[in-house]
Amino acid sequence: RSRLGSAMVGLPLLALALLIVAVARPQLGESNSTVHASGVDIMLLLDVSGSMQSLDFKLENLPASRLDVVKSVVRKFIAARPDDRIGLTIFAGLPYLVSPVTLDHGWLLDSLDRVRIGDIEDGTAIGSALAAGLNRLRNQTAKSKIIILMTDGQNNSGQITPITAA
């Protein structure tokens, strides 16, 4: 009986320890998830040259730059394409990859919000941007691949002409 009495003192402590572990809800640290999307791969090419600062549009009845208007349209476009992998390259005098094609549209929208005019050497290198977008899509396995070019100007810099890149 004395052995059983000392065990009875330890049972509430054991119950308390098990309750703490149960409330903590331990889980395995690694998990894999595979997402199968039947969409297309889309690379957005966005002009961020100085001319995109022009305030010749309105958003919500306030003057807005061309870049702000394009960002607004791109946000709506991304929201409407949940099953497509979308990437973003900005360009002015040179192309710059902001995001490779991805299904993580939240991260893509955050990256779009950080795009500003003046981060890249000024100019409009449409041919170089097209070539950069094509190179990003070249090794993708999607059946359909699309490049959407958003610019307000003519090619005036870069080493590749738009016709050659196309």
Side-chain angles (χ1 to χ4, degrees):
R1 188 171 184 186
S2 66
R3 278 191 246 162
L4 205 64
S6 64
M8 294 301 278
V9 172
L11 280 179
L13 292 174
L14 178 63
L16 180 63
L18 290 175
L19 180 65
I20 290 171
V21 170
V23 169
R25 294 182 53 185
Q27 299 175 3
L28 292 176
E30 289 185 32
S31 67
N32 291 328
S33 62
T34 303
V35 177
H36 296 285
S38 59
V40 298
D41 285 354
I42 302 171
M43 181 58 72
L44 304 174
L45 306 178
L46 175 57
D47 184 356
V48 293
S49 62
S51 62
M52 294 293 281
Q53 291 178 352
S54 297
L55 298 173
D56 48 3
F57 287 97
K58 287 190 176 190
L59 277 178
E60 300 172 9
N61 291 330
L62 296 172
S65 70
R66 295 173 184 177
L67 181 62
D68 291 335
V69 172
V70 169
K71 283 182 175 183
S72 173
V73 171
V74 168
R75 280 187 203 91
K76 292 175 187 173
F77 178 80
I78 291 170
R81 314 285 305 187
D83 295 330
D84 294 334
R85 295 179 352 133
I86 303 173
L88 176 64
T89 297
I90 60 173
F91 69 96
L94 300 167
Y96 175 77
L97 178 69
V98 174
S99 169
V101 289
T102 181
L103 281 172
D104 189 353
H105 293 173
W107 182 78
L108 181 62
L109 290 171
D110 289 343
S111 298
L112 177 65
D113 289 338
R114 289 189 294 272
V115 170
R116 294 178 311 203
I117 294 173
D119 288 345
I120 304 174
E121 167 189 328
D122 202 23
T124 306
I126 295 173
S128 297
L130 283 171
L134 288 167
N135 284 335
R136 278 292 167 182
L137 291 178
R138 178 171 286 138
N139 296 326
Q140 300 299 325
T141 59
K143 292 180 183 177
S144 297
K145 302 171 193 176
I146 300 170
I147 289 182
I148 299 174
L149 175 66
M150 294 165 280
T151 185
D152 67 342
Q154 294 180 339
N155 188 66
N156 61 18
S157 62
Q159 296 180 354
I160 302 171
T161 66
I163 298 297
T164 303

